[in-house]
Amino acid sequence: MAMQHFLLSAKARTLSLKTVFRMGEDAAYATFRQLRWPETEGEAVCPKCGCLETYNITSRRRFKCAACYAQFSVTSGTIFASRKLSFTDLLAAITIFVNGAKGVAALQLSRDLDVQYKTAFVLTHKLREAMAREQADVQLNGIVEIDGGWFGGHVRPENRKEDRKDRRLKANQSGKRECVVIMRERGGRSLPFVVANEGDACPIVRDRVGTLATIYADEGTGWDALHSGWNTRRVNHSVAFMDEGVCTNQAESFFSRLRRAEIGTHHHIAGPYLNAYANEMAWREDHRRVANGAQAALVGGAALASQQSRAFAGYWQRRA
Ligand SMILES: [Zn+2]
């Protein structure tokens, strides 16, 4: 079955819901098979023993391995295992998700697809997980911008001016603020991490940034430790945003996307899911010039290449 991967075709360059629903369940299923088994152009491969010879139980869209007799489906052992949605709905969900530049709220997805809120909630987090895995083994080199931004723990100012407290003081903060640190290679990938303080990111920088890289950072004292490991250049933001070509504008543009997602879509992104949202927005920054069909192929492919979701397997699963 040598057909061109639908999501990479010219039609998918403007992947729309209309296209997805018009293609129907059979074509959507074929697309999933191609995403799962790209090496065999969609022909099933046994996930247990790797055997290429399988019996096709067409009526149930399942396969049986000719060697070990294991039965499996196109989503067995992946993030989409024990899916309840049709393949068209899943493909539509991926389409809506990649098309949302500021992210997609679970509530919106549940309305758009007419599925339960909790189904949409789990699905969006699984897609974020796929995005995060797609950048899991990346190492940064060349010029790497590093910067930190604070999220969460907003303390609302009192109504009357005389009642207001200095919210810059630790005593007047909620203690829920978290720091997102972004490392962004110029012309390369972006890797975010959530830490308590900017300086806590230095061991992570050591793991993910090559020693020959040049690091650009601002004057924050948390970055002083970087000078011992890398050629590090600083820009003093209280003086200028760009100093002899040294700037952290790429890092800033990641933060502006993450803030737009916070303000426009999710409202509160701090807490346990901050890391997931930060990874999502980094992925969106890095793929902002990729056609949305190809974006969907990347996310769908990563979802089908990964093991069952660690955080969301069985989460709120309905009885089959
Ligand atoms: Zn087998």
Tab-separated table of all heavy atoms in Angstrom, residues 168-204:
chain	number	residue	atom	x	y	z
A	168	ARG	N	6.493	42.723	46.076
A	168	ARG	CA	7.834	42.256	45.727
A	168	ARG	C	8.483	41.540	46.912
A	168	ARG	O	9.446	40.808	46.754
A	168	ARG	CB	8.712	43.444	45.307
A	168	ARG	CG	8.307	44.035	43.964
A	168	ARG	CD	8.957	45.369	43.734
A	168	ARG	NE	8.599	46.328	44.795
A	168	ARG	CZ	9.037	47.574	44.852
A	168	ARG	NH1	9.862	48.023	43.930
A	168	ARG	NH2	8.671	48.380	45.820
A	169	LEU	N	7.943	41.778	48.111
A	169	LEU	CA	8.529	41.153	49.309
A	169	LEU	C	8.049	39.712	49.428
A	169	LEU	O	6.876	39.407	49.187
A	169	LEU	CB	8.115	41.933	50.570
A	169	LEU	CG	8.591	43.381	50.626
A	169	LEU	CD1	8.057	44.053	51.897
A	169	LEU	CD2	10.114	43.452	50.587
A	170	LYS	N	8.981	38.854	49.822
A	170	LYS	CA	8.669	37.438	49.899
A	170	LYS	C	7.490	37.176	50.856
A	170	LYS	O	6.640	36.318	50.603
A	170	LYS	CB	9.900	36.654	50.371
A	170	LYS	CG	9.815	35.214	49.948
A	170	LYS	CD	11.137	34.488	50.049
A	170	LYS	CE	10.903	33.081	49.520
A	170	LYS	NZ	11.797	32.622	48.579
A	171	ALA	N	7.453	37.941	51.967
A	171	ALA	CA	6.409	37.739	52.972
A	171	ALA	C	5.015	37.991	52.397
A	171	ALA	O	4.026	37.438	52.872
A	171	ALA	CB	6.657	38.657	54.167
A	172	ASN	N	4.934	38.827	51.366
A	172	ASN	CA	3.637	39.157	50.784
A	172	ASN	C	3.319	38.352	49.523
A	172	ASN	O	2.385	38.657	48.795
A	172	ASN	CB	3.587	40.659	50.471
A	172	ASN	CG	3.649	41.485	51.735
A	172	ASN	OD1	3.263	41.020	52.807
A	172	ASN	ND2	4.175	42.697	51.627
A	173	GLN	N	4.130	37.310	49.255
A	173	GLN	CA	3.860	36.474	48.091
A	173	GLN	C	3.181	35.176	48.526
A	173	GLN	O	3.174	34.830	49.697
A	173	GLN	CB	5.173	36.170	47.347
A	173	GLN	CG	5.738	37.403	46.652
A	173	GLN	CD	7.136	37.173	46.113
A	173	GLN	OE1	7.691	36.086	46.246
A	173	GLN	NE2	7.696	38.205	45.511
A	174	SER	N	2.624	34.453	47.545
A	174	SER	CA	1.849	33.266	47.898
A	174	SER	C	2.725	32.023	48.075
A	174	SER	O	2.262	31.004	48.562
A	174	SER	CB	0.811	32.988	46.810
A	174	SER	OG	1.473	32.548	45.647
A	175	GLY	N	3.981	32.099	47.638
A	175	GLY	CA	4.848	30.923	47.723
A	175	GLY	C	4.591	29.920	46.610
A	175	GLY	O	5.182	28.855	46.563
A	176	LYS	N	3.683	30.278	45.683
A	176	LYS	CA	3.349	29.347	44.610
A	176	LYS	C	4.009	29.730	43.291
A	176	LYS	O	3.753	29.117	42.261
A	176	LYS	CB	1.831	29.286	44.421
A	176	LYS	CG	1.132	28.560	45.553
A	176	LYS	CD	-0.354	28.524	45.312
A	176	LYS	CE	-1.088	27.928	46.512
A	176	LYS	NZ	-2.483	28.346	46.544
A	177	ARG	N	4.833	30.776	43.340
A	177	ARG	CA	5.485	31.180	42.098
A	177	ARG	C	6.519	30.151	41.680
A	177	ARG	O	7.233	29.601	42.498
A	177	ARG	CB	6.182	32.529	42.299
A	177	ARG	CG	5.213	33.681	42.274
A	177	ARG	CD	5.854	35.001	41.947
A	177	ARG	NE	7.215	35.151	42.442
A	177	ARG	CZ	8.074	36.037	41.938
A	177	ARG	NH1	7.702	36.804	40.946
A	177	ARG	NH2	9.282	36.146	42.429
A	178	GLU	N	6.591	29.896	40.365
A	178	GLU	CA	7.591	28.980	39.848
A	178	GLU	C	8.304	29.642	38.683
A	178	GLU	O	7.720	30.453	37.970
A	178	GLU	CB	6.931	27.688	39.364
A	178	GLU	CG	6.370	26.854	40.489
A	178	GLU	CD	5.642	25.637	39.918
A	178	GLU	OE1	4.574	25.826	39.341
A	178	GLU	OE2	6.177	24.543	40.035
A	179	CYS	N	9.558	29.249	38.514
A	179	CYS	CA	10.368	29.845	37.460
A	179	CYS	C	10.479	28.886	36.275
A	179	CYS	O	10.855	27.734	36.442
A	179	CYS	CB	11.761	30.157	38.009
A	179	CYS	SG	12.816	30.972	36.817
A	180	VAL	N	10.105	29.380	35.098
A	180	VAL	CA	10.344	28.602	33.871
A	180	VAL	C	11.643	29.117	33.270
A	180	VAL	O	11.794	30.312	33.041
A	180	VAL	CB	9.199	28.773	32.855
A	180	VAL	CG1	9.543	28.075	31.543
A	180	VAL	CG2	7.897	28.233	33.423
A	181	VAL	N	12.584	28.218	33.045
A	181	VAL	CA	13.831	28.593	32.392
A	181	VAL	C	13.802	28.030	30.975
A	181	VAL	O	13.467	26.868	30.769
A	181	VAL	CB	15.045	28.042	33.162
A	181	VAL	CG1	16.317	28.166	32.330
A	181	VAL	CG2	15.199	28.783	34.482
A	182	ILE	N	14.110	28.906	30.017
A	182	ILE	CA	14.151	28.445	28.628
A	182	ILE	C	15.588	28.504	28.125
A	182	ILE	O	16.305	29.458	28.395
A	182	ILE	CB	13.215	29.284	27.719
A	182	ILE	CG1	13.189	28.740	26.290
A	182	ILE	CG2	13.605	30.747	27.702
A	182	ILE	CD1	12.391	27.491	26.114
A	183	MET	N	16.023	27.443	27.460
A	183	MET	CA	17.305	27.451	26.749
A	183	MET	C	16.953	27.319	25.282
A	183	MET	O	16.285	26.374	24.892
A	183	MET	CB	18.168	26.259	27.133
A	183	MET	CG	18.128	25.936	28.580
A	183	MET	SD	19.040	24.414	28.850
A	183	MET	CE	18.404	24.047	30.471
A	184	ARG	N	17.398	28.281	24.495
A	184	ARG	CA	16.971	28.290	23.099
A	184	ARG	C	18.164	28.463	22.167
A	184	ARG	O	18.837	29.484	22.194
A	184	ARG	CB	15.956	29.419	22.913
A	184	ARG	CG	15.305	29.364	21.583
A	184	ARG	CD	13.981	30.087	21.543
A	184	ARG	NE	13.346	29.775	20.273
A	184	ARG	CZ	12.266	30.340	19.817
A	184	ARG	NH1	11.656	31.247	20.541
A	184	ARG	NH2	11.780	29.998	18.649
A	185	GLU	N	18.391	27.464	21.340
A	185	GLU	CA	19.482	27.546	20.363
A	185	GLU	C	19.037	28.386	19.186
A	185	GLU	O	17.953	28.169	18.641
A	185	GLU	CB	19.865	26.128	19.905
A	185	GLU	CG	20.953	26.098	18.848
A	185	GLU	CD	21.268	24.670	18.390
A	185	GLU	OE1	21.287	23.757	19.236
A	185	GLU	OE2	21.490	24.483	17.184
A	186	ARG	N	19.876	29.350	18.770
A	186	ARG	CA	19.519	30.166	17.599
A	186	ARG	C	19.409	29.277	16.383
A	186	ARG	O	20.349	28.575	16.042
A	186	ARG	CB	20.584	31.235	17.360
A	186	ARG	CG	20.586	32.270	18.463
A	186	ARG	CD	20.505	33.684	17.916
A	186	ARG	NE	20.424	34.619	19.040
A	186	ARG	CZ	21.198	35.689	19.167
A	186	ARG	NH1	22.080	35.978	18.225
A	186	ARG	NH2	21.070	36.484	20.197
A	187	GLY	N	18.254	29.284	15.746
A	187	GLY	CA	18.021	28.432	14.590
A	187	GLY	C	17.827	26.977	14.956
A	187	GLY	O	17.815	26.115	14.087
A	188	GLY	N	17.701	26.674	16.248
A	188	GLY	CA	17.550	25.285	16.684
A	188	GLY	C	16.364	25.113	17.603
A	188	GLY	O	15.359	25.820	17.477
A	189	ARG	N	16.489	24.200	18.543
A	189	ARG	CA	15.369	23.853	19.395
A	189	ARG	C	15.356	24.659	20.692
A	189	ARG	O	16.350	25.265	21.076
A	189	ARG	CB	15.422	22.353	19.744
A	189	ARG	CG	15.329	21.428	18.559
A	189	ARG	CD	14.023	21.569	17.780
A	189	ARG	NE	12.839	21.278	18.560
A	189	ARG	CZ	12.181	20.120	18.542
A	189	ARG	NH1	12.592	19.138	17.788
A	189	ARG	NH2	11.088	19.956	19.266
A	190	SER	N	14.200	24.601	21.370
A	190	SER	CA	14.007	25.296	22.641
A	190	SER	C	13.653	24.283	23.716
A	190	SER	O	12.780	23.443	23.500
A	190	SER	CB	12.861	26.297	22.534
A	190	SER	OG	13.000	27.069	21.368
A	191	LEU	N	14.325	24.363	24.849
A	191	LEU	CA	14.056	23.428	25.934
A	191	LEU	C	13.696	24.179	27.210
A	191	LEU	O	14.512	24.914	27.738
A	191	LEU	CB	15.291	22.551	26.204
A	191	LEU	CG	15.807	21.705	25.049
A	191	LEU	CD1	17.078	20.984	25.450
A	191	LEU	CD2	14.751	20.709	24.622
A	192	PRO	N	12.482	24.008	27.709
A	192	PRO	CA	12.085	24.679	28.949
A	192	PRO	C	12.180	23.750	30.160
A	192	PRO	O	12.047	22.527	30.024
A	192	PRO	CB	10.613	25.012	28.681
A	192	PRO	CG	10.143	23.930	27.773
A	192	PRO	CD	11.330	23.365	27.042
A	193	PHE	N	12.408	24.350	31.317
A	193	PHE	CA	12.413	23.600	32.571
A	193	PHE	C	11.787	24.437	33.662
A	193	PHE	O	11.912	25.646	33.655
A	193	PHE	CB	13.848	23.234	32.983
A	193	PHE	CG	14.471	22.276	32.018
A	193	PHE	CD1	15.199	22.740	30.933
A	193	PHE	CD2	14.286	20.924	32.163
A	193	PHE	CE1	15.733	21.861	30.011
A	193	PHE	CE2	14.821	20.034	31.261
A	193	PHE	CZ	15.552	20.503	30.179
A	194	VAL	N	11.133	23.770	34.603
A	194	VAL	CA	10.541	24.485	35.732
A	194	VAL	C	11.424	24.274	36.956
A	194	VAL	O	11.742	23.142	37.309
A	194	VAL	CB	9.117	23.971	36.019
A	194	VAL	CG1	8.539	24.671	37.244
A	194	VAL	CG2	8.221	24.206	34.804
A	195	VAL	N	11.855	25.384	37.566
A	195	VAL	CA	12.707	25.318	38.756
A	195	VAL	C	12.203	26.332	39.786
A	195	VAL	O	11.360	27.179	39.481
A	195	VAL	CB	14.187	25.623	38.407
A	195	VAL	CG1	14.804	24.488	37.610
A	195	VAL	CG2	14.312	26.931	37.655
A	196	ALA	N	12.741	26.240	41.007
A	196	ALA	CA	12.337	27.185	42.047
A	196	ALA	C	12.993	28.541	41.831
A	196	ALA	O	12.382	29.589	42.025
A	196	ALA	CB	12.694	26.626	43.424
A	197	ASN	N	14.253	28.537	41.398
A	197	ASN	CA	14.986	29.769	41.138
A	197	ASN	C	15.843	29.622	39.892
A	197	ASN	O	16.276	28.512	39.573
A	197	ASN	CB	15.897	30.115	42.317
A	197	ASN	CG	15.094	30.564	43.516
A	197	ASN	OD1	14.435	31.593	43.481
A	197	ASN	ND2	15.120	29.741	44.549
A	198	GLU	N	16.111	30.753	39.216
A	198	GLU	CA	16.909	30.707	37.985
A	198	GLU	C	18.194	29.902	38.150
A	198	GLU	O	18.544	29.082	37.314
A	198	GLU	CB	17.271	32.133	37.546
A	198	GLU	CG	16.173	32.824	36.771
A	198	GLU	CD	16.606	34.192	36.240
A	198	GLU	OE1	17.643	34.706	36.698
A	198	GLU	OE2	15.889	34.729	35.374
A	199	GLY	N	18.898	30.123	39.259
A	199	GLY	CA	20.188	29.483	39.469
A	199	GLY	C	20.096	27.964	39.536
A	199	GLY	O	21.062	27.254	39.215
A	200	ASP	N	18.921	27.447	39.934
A	200	ASP	CA	18.745	25.992	40.010
A	200	ASP	C	18.835	25.331	38.645
A	200	ASP	O	18.898	24.102	38.545
A	200	ASP	CB	17.378	25.650	40.629
A	200	ASP	CG	17.267	26.154	42.056
A	200	ASP	OD1	18.325	26.448	42.648
A	200	ASP	OD2	16.137	26.260	42.564
A	201	ALA	N	18.791	26.130	37.590
A	201	ALA	CA	18.794	25.560	36.248
A	201	ALA	C	20.193	25.176	35.789
A	201	ALA	O	20.344	24.425	34.829
A	201	ALA	CB	18.181	26.549	35.258
A	202	CYS	N	21.239	25.669	36.485
A	202	CYS	CA	22.614	25.437	35.998
A	202	CYS	C	22.960	23.956	35.793
A	202	CYS	O	23.554	23.609	34.769
A	202	CYS	CB	23.623	26.131	36.901
A	202	CYS	SG	23.562	27.926	36.690
A	203	PRO	N	22.592	23.043	36.722
A	203	PRO	CA	22.881	21.617	36.458
A	203	PRO	C	22.159	21.101	35.218
A	203	PRO	O	22.679	20.250	34.502
A	203	PRO	CB	22.358	20.906	37.718
A	203	PRO	CG	22.221	21.957	38.748
A	203	PRO	CD	21.991	23.250	38.034
A	204	ILE	N	20.952	21.625	34.953
A	204	ILE	CA	20.198	21.182	33.768
A	204	ILE	C	20.882	21.705	32.511
A	204	ILE	O	20.989	21.003	31.512
A	204	ILE	CB	18.734	21.676	33.857
A	204	ILE	CG1	18.097	21.155	35.150
A	204	ILE	CG2	17.943	21.219	32.645
A	204	ILE	CD1	16.746	21.755	35.464
